[in-house]
Amino acid sequence: MNSFMRTSRKWVRPALPALLILLWLAAAGVGGPTFGKISQVSSNDQAAFLPASAESTAVQEWQHRFVDSSTVPAVVLVTAKSRPTDGELEVLAALPRTMGAVAGVPQGAAGATTGIAGPIPSQDGLAVEYIVPVADAGDLKTVVDGLRKVLAANVPDGMSYYVTGPAGLGADLVGAFAGIDGVLLLVALLVVFVILLLVYRSVVLPVLVLFTSVAALCAAIVVVYYMARWGWIKLSGQSQGILSILVIGAATDYSLLLVARFREALHHVESARAALGRALRGAWEPITASATTVILALLCLLFSELNSNRSLGPIAAIGIFFSLVAALTCLPALLAVFGRAAFWPFRPRLDTATAHSIAPGIPGVPGPGDATAGRGLDGVTGLWRRISLVIARRPRVTWVLSLALLVVASGGILQLQAHGVSQTQVILGPSNAVDGQAALAQHFNAGSGSPVVVIADQAKAAQVVSAVESSGGIADAAVYTGNSRPGPDSVPVARDGRVMVNATLKDQADSDAAERVVVALRRDLPAVDAGVLVGGVSAIALDTNVTAQHDLATIIPLVLAVILVVLMVLLRSILAPLVLIGSVVLSYTATMGVSAVVFNHIFGFPGADATVPLFGFVFLVALGVDYNIFLMTRVREEAQLLGTRAGVLRGLGKTGGVITSAGVVLAATFAALGVIPLLFLAQLAFIVAFGVLLDTTLVRSLLVPALSYDLGARIWWPGAAGKRHGKSV
């Protein structure tokens, strides 16, 4: 029997890593092709992410009853520097027929266009406008590109053309997201590879870590793809980009922690397999606790009223889960195969002095009221020894100055303008649709093609139209008759005793001024018709911002409560988790303060999306706690041997390098989001990158260790970690 067990163990040990590697290769093989298909189940329609309770959602449902179509209007604008000649006017008059031939634009009998309004001349005679319905809402970019090609071929020389409005802006937004699958991932992987080369000076190890990260992403992509395909979640381009960055960053961070433990063990254990076992025993708890904390924090987004936020929660949580599984299965299997060769050409050498000695203290480094305070730095050299000495000599001065710096930086949060921006300001790169909106405002009412939609009682239609027209910011209003050019004999379309009123805005539909018009209409119209509903593009933007503000007030306390409970369970303490939570919250406010100043005065951004503070909070707090978990679990481990103050110094010295490297990697991967020319992703990239660096360099390196050192064993209250021989240290 013993012989059989020994034989089985002999075969299992090499077979298990090989099996795990094959499984992850299979996951990568399946997930890789899925990247090319995920856009098929992705949507960037802002209206689709609103809650069912929003007034604009109710209006949209009524619109589908009046208009038996899912078309999205495109505003085609042709401008000239001088009044067109008769010949040019004939060409412009024929454009509806040529545009109607584009696939995705509804056609009638014998190829006649239906529903295309125009040409509508401007009062100055220098522009004509067409309202073109786009039936293929799922592929706006293809249809809009087709319209632009037709215009390029048919618009007279010397004239400019634009395809704008909801369809044009939506198509350009899709184009901006086009880099997520390839460019974003390539940039992120390249940045991580370079950082890993610099950190480990190894050619092999960066490849092993990146394979682990990519395998985790491939597995996550497959699950997310099918969840979106089955309608369980709503996937957007921004969620897709965040998933890629989050998985690459998190999987690399977890891998770095395991690799650091493995390399440390290789100095004390001759067998690479034994060293790997020791590394796994030391790393699995902080890695699992860290991933669990982030997953639970992300799942708090399920309580969001915005479907985009609610969907991002499970999408990102799935990514973190596979990052955890890959770091604890795929990477260990690879390290088991490569052993010390993973660090080639600088392989860790066995240190014959393997005993863990406890230094009797550091001369000239007295602690606050404790002669043993300088202990724990045996074997710690370089920068982290110097930082630890500073903390040991002046713990209170260190944490007070760090705290003051964070408080001062937090003052900038008063300048944060996270009240939403117009859709024309979302796209940072060149956009024909954005340029078209500016040109439209010069020749027509800027809200043309994106009306405010009012659902009113049929019996009160005339009074509602009159009230809408008398409202400031409205150019004209009319009851929907089903005709692109209603005449005096047109009959209003009614559904269940209600009519639809379309009101043209004077300002751009996605501007602050347009949202103020919606607010005024919702305030005043109920006096005319108690059951009136106000919706449309402007209302959707307004309701999105209001809902985002509500989510911020709801989810932040929930995330903090969940993380606090996890930390209490992990550290078996109440005071330590409170200190850690307070530190990351202050780090978040400081980051948002600095970001507000940078956005307003350096980058010149017009503002920020209303969801930016919430996304920044969830990522920074969850990921900031990550690094504190890495630190404090090691401190608690060392404190049980050395006492709390010595444990703080040794824990900081042993984790300082790897946690800082992990922070740099995560900051760099999130910074890669900046390659996508979208305001939201550019701002999120800066916030998370700067916040992670601030957390790893100031909060986790100075504030938390110095405060923990100053508190001594009291940091574990009411636990008992760090109490040795009846004496609290």
Side-chain angles (χ1 to χ4, degrees):
M1 184 67 178
N2 290 336
S3 176
F4 174 75
M5 293 295 292
R6 285 195 298 270
T7 303
S8 299
R9 198 176 296 117
K10 179 181 179 181
W11 284 101
V12 167
R13 283 180 178 175
L16 182 58
L19 178 61
L20 288 173
I21 292 171
L22 287 174
L23 288 174
W24 282 105
L25 281 171
V30 174
T34 307
F35 275 96
K37 300 189 298 181
I38 199 165
S39 59
Q40 300 171 7
V41 294
S42 179
S43 171
N44 297 302
D45 180 13
Q46 188 179 19
F49 298 116
L50 279 171
S53 58
E55 186 169 340
S56 51
T57 303
V59 170
Q60 196 170 49
E61 292 173 355
W62 274 101
Q63 280 183 275
H64 290 312
R65 299 177 65 180
F66 282 94
V67 183
D68 187 19
S69 172
S70 58
T71 60
V72 179
V75 177
V76 174
L77 181 70
V78 180
T79 62
K81 296 180 181 179
S82 59
R83 287 182 175 272
T85 64
D86 291 342
E88 290 173 334
L89 289 175
E90 290 180 5
V91 173
L92 296 177
L95 276 180
R97 180 172 295 278
T98 55
M99 288 190 293
V102 174
V105 176
Q107 294 184 346
T113 59
T114 58
I116 295 182
I120 304 169
S122 62
Q123 289 186 353
D124 59 14
L126 299 178
V128 292
E129 176 189 32
Y130 309 82
I131 309 299
V132 182
V134 176
D136 194 357
D139 195 8
L140 288 177
K141 190 174 187 307
T142 299
V143 180
V144 169
D145 286 347
L147 288 173
R148 287 171 179 161
K149 288 179 181 178
V150 164
L151 292 169
N154 291 276
V155 168
D157 293 338
M159 293 187 177
S160 301
Y161 62 88
Y162 309 92
V163 181
T164 185
L169 290 168
D172 286 359
L173 188 62
V174 171
F177 276 118
I180 281 183
D181 286 337
V183 177
L184 176 60
L185 191 58
L186 182 62
V187 170
L189 291 175
L190 182 61
V191 167
V192 172
F193 184 76
V194 171
I195 293 173
L196 292 177
L197 280 176
L198 295 174
V199 170
Y200 288 112
R201 294 174 296 166
S202 166
V203 178
V204 179
L205 193 60
V207 176
L208 302 184
V209 172
L210 284 182
F211 174 78
T212 301
S213 302
V214 171
L217 178 58
C218 288
I221 283 289
V222 172
V223 175
V224 169
Y225 170 79
Y226 282 102
M227 289 180 68
R229 183 177 177 180
W230 295 333
W232 295 358
I233 57 173
K234 288 185 179 294
L235 180 64
S236 67
Q238 71 182 28
S239 298
Q240 183 182 338
I242 290 171
L243 172 65
S244 299
I245 290 301
L246 190 62
V247 173
I248 297 297
T252 303
D253 276 7
Y254 301 153
S255 298
L256 286 174
L257 189 63
L258 177 62
V259 168
R261 285 279 192 163
F262 181 50
R263 185 166 63 173
E264 184 180 339
L266 286 173
H267 288 297
H268 304 289
V269 180
E270 185 174 1
S271 168
R273 288 185 180 274
L276 182 58
R278 179 180 291 191
L280 279 169
R281 287 192 296 274
W284 80 268
E285 183 181 26
I287 291 176
T288 303
S290 170
T292 301
T293 303
V294 178
I295 288 171
L296 292 176
L298 290 168
L299 289 179
C300 290
L301 289 172
L302 288 170
F303 293 90
S304 169
E305 291 191 6
L306 275 179
N307 291 328
S308 53
N309 293 352
R310 190 184 306 126
S311 294
L312 178 62
I315 289 170
I318 289 168
I320 295 295
F321 172 76
F322 281 105
S323 299
L324 168 66
V325 175
L328 294 180
T329 60
C330 181
L331 183 61
L334 293 169
L335 294 176
V337 171
F338 283 85
R340 293 178 188 272
F343 296 91
W344 183 85
F346 299 99
R347 303 185 185 191
R349 296 180 179 179
L350 180 65
D351 185 356
T352 54
T354 57
H356 179 73
S357 61
I358 301 176
I362 301 174
V365 188
D370 191 340
T372 66
R375 300 165 61 181
L377 287 178
D378 53 304
V380 178
T381 59
L383 174 65
W384 295 104
R385 182 181 181 87
R386 292 194 293 272
I387 292 175
S388 298
L389 289 175
V390 169
I391 291 173
R393 290 190 178 102
R394 296 287 186 272
R396 192 161 299 173
V397 172
T398 302
W399 72 257
V400 168
L401 288 178
S402 301
L403 185 68
L405 184 59
L406 291 172
V407 170
V408 170
S410 298
I413 203 170
L414 299 175
Q415 299 184 39
L416 186 64
Q417 302 173 22
H419 307 298
V421 294
S422 67
Q423 195 171 7
T424 55
Q425 294 170 324
V426 167
I427 303 173
L428 298 178
S431 166
N432 178 264
V434 171
D435 296 341
Q437 285 295 129
L440 187 68
Q442 295 176 5
H443 302 283
F444 295 90
N445 291 308
S448 297
S450 303
V452 172
V453 180
V454 179
I455 305 299
D457 189 325
Q458 183 179 6
K460 300 177 180 178
Q463 298 96 307
V464 169
V465 169
S466 177
V468 170
E469 288 183 326
S470 63
S471 178
I474 298 294
D476 58 69
V479 178
Y480 176 70
T481 63
N483 298 321
S484 58
R485 291 185 175 183
D489 298 329
S490 300
V491 178
V493 176
R495 297 285 186 269
D496 295 335
R498 294 207 171 191
V499 295
M500 182 171 69
V501 177
N502 291 322
T504 303
L505 288 156
K506 294 179 181 177
D507 298 291
Q508 281 186 203
D510 55 0
S511 64
D512 290 339
E515 291 185 18
R516 288 193 292 270
V517 172
V518 172
V519 171
L521 290 174
R522 286 178 173 175
R523 181 192 63 226
D524 300 336
L525 289 183
V528 180
D529 178 4
V532 73
L533 297 171
V534 180
V537 173
S538 307
I540 289 171
L542 174 65
D543 290 347
T544 299
N545 291 337
V546 171
T547 306
Q549 297 294 334
H550 175 269
D551 283 351
L552 192 66
T554 301
I555 294 174
I556 283 182
L558 187 59
V559 170
L560 292 177
V562 167
I563 293 178
L564 185 62
V565 170
V566 172
L567 290 176
M568 286 180 177
V569 173
L570 177 67
L571 299 177
R572 302 169 185 83
S573 166
I574 294 177
L575 182 57
L578 289 174
V579 169
L580 298 184
I581 286 288
S583 70
V584 294
V585 169
L586 190 56
S587 176
Y588 165 73
T589 58
T591 298
M592 296 307 294
V594 172
S595 298
V597 173
V598 171
F599 294 165
N600 295 342
H601 304 294
I602 297 179
F603 293 159
F605 288 152
D609 190 274
T611 59
V612 164
L614 178 60
F615 280 22
F617 177 84
V618 171
F619 287 123
L620 283 181
V621 170
L623 297 173
V625 168
D626 252 16
Y627 299 129
N628 280 326
I629 287 176
F630 292 166
L631 169 67
M632 293 306 288
T633 51
R634 185 62 182 260
V635 167
R636 193 176 193 280
E637 177 185 330
E638 299 291 347
Q640 291 173 342
L641 297 172
L642 307 174
T644 297
R645 290 194 171 108
V648 168
L649 298 182
R650 187 167 185 81
L652 176 61
K654 288 296 184 180
T655 64
V658 63
I659 294 177
T660 301
S661 299
V664 171
V665 167
L666 190 64
T669 51
F670 264 92
L673 282 171
V675 303
I676 306 300
L678 293 171
L679 181 64
F680 171 83
L681 292 181
Q683 291 178 329
L684 187 64
F686 180 86
I687 289 170
V688 177
F690 178 82
V692 166
L693 291 177
L694 179 67
D695 199 75
T696 53
T697 57
L698 180 63
V699 176
R700 192 267 317 151
S701 298
L702 294 174
L703 176 60
V704 170
L707 185 54
S708 300
Y709 190 95
D710 197 14
L711 289 171
R714 289 171 294 178
I715 191 69
W716 308 114
W717 180 87
K723 293 183 178 180
R724 303 171 63 247
H725 310 298
K727 184 177 181 181
S728 173
V729 291

